[in-house]
Amino acid sequence: MTDERPRVATDKRTAVLDAAIHLVGTEGLRALTHRRVDAMAGVPAGSTSNYFRTRQALVEGVLDRLLEQDRVQLAAIGAALPGDARELEDLMHGYVMFVTGDDLVRTRARFAMFVEAMATPDLRAGVETRRSELRGWIGTVLAGLGVDDSATAARVLIDYLDGLILHRCTSHDDGPDPRDGVARMVRMLLPTAG
């Protein structure tokens, strides 16, 4: 992980939000101030507060931007839905490795937002929106693979992946490659995968 600034965004508001995500993902939610975001984004002092008057508005903006980015990624993945258990294993394993590797900063920011949402009712709705969209997408995938109760199976799979990702993000020892655990979970949910 590097401490480089986020890539240049197409507009200043997006640049501010991407810088805020980078700040939260590298230094935690306590580091999120308008002044620190201005410096991280390389924008004139006061720019962040022009878009987000309060810290709460900035936090909500960060969550909205994370959700927007997640939707883009999900849409890209959704174009090639897995057709069998092995493809689902590959997809889930690839996802875990991506969010705990190249996308680690955003993953840490996302978890920080989830923790903040426990104490902030306004954020809880946004977090639940993300979870519902993800459960719906995974449920659709699982239904397509013949799972009868795909909604429950989606919840189980997402809970497992969230735990695995959290462990990999917070542990000094990532442990062994998670492919075997992911494969076992998929086989459990898709008994015909055998």
Side-chain angles (χ1 to χ4, degrees):
M1 181 174 67
T2 65
D3 288 332
E4 298 173 11
R5 288 184 183 173
R7 289 191 177 132
V8 176
T10 56
D11 64 71
K12 196 183 295 186
R13 184 179 187 280
T14 301
V16 162
L17 288 172
D18 289 347
I21 289 169
H22 187 80
L23 188 62
V24 172
T26 56
E27 298 183 38
L29 201 54
R30 288 183 182 202
L32 187 66
T33 66
H34 290 81
R35 183 175 297 170
R36 295 283 310 276
V37 173
D38 286 342
M40 177 72 66
V43 297
S47 295
T48 300
S49 63
N50 284 337
Y51 295 110
F52 306 98
R53 291 308 225 182
T54 64
R55 185 174 187 278
Q56 183 61 31
L58 179 57
V59 168
E60 289 172 10
V62 167
L63 181 60
D64 289 345
R65 177 70 175 146
L66 285 167
L67 290 172
E68 174 188 324
Q69 292 172 326
D70 289 346
R71 286 183 186 116
V72 168
Q73 286 182 334
L74 203 55
I77 292 170
L81 293 176
D84 61 25
R86 181 60 186 197
E87 288 180 8
L88 180 59
E89 290 171 23
D90 290 345
L91 180 64
M92 296 298 105
H93 176 260
Y95 173 74
V96 169
M97 299 308 287
F98 175 69
V99 300
T100 61
D102 290 346
D103 205 32
L104 181 60
V105 170
R106 266 185 6 101
T107 301
R108 287 181 176 165
R110 186 180 300 107
F111 277 121
M113 299 305 290
F114 290 174
V115 170
E116 181 69 15
M118 289 189 298
T120 310
D122 291 344
L123 290 181
R124 240 178 270 147
V127 169
E128 187 50 40
T129 295
R130 179 195 178 267
R131 285 191 176 134
S132 293
E133 289 173 358
L134 187 59
R135 277 193 303 262
W137 185 82
I138 295 288
T140 299
V141 168
L142 293 173
L145 294 173
V147 174
D148 290 332
D149 186 359
S150 60
T152 299
R155 185 177 295 271
V156 168
L157 181 57
I158 290 168
D159 288 350
Y160 171 76
L161 294 175
D162 278 347
L164 178 60
I165 291 165
L166 182 61
H167 171 76
R168 290 180 63 82
C169 288
T170 59
S171 176
H172 292 292
D173 174 21
D174 291 349
D177 185 304
R179 181 174 288 281
D180 185 54
V182 170
R184 288 173 189 246
M185 180 59 70
V186 168
R187 283 193 302 267
M188 182 188 77
L189 296 173
L190 303 173
T192 58

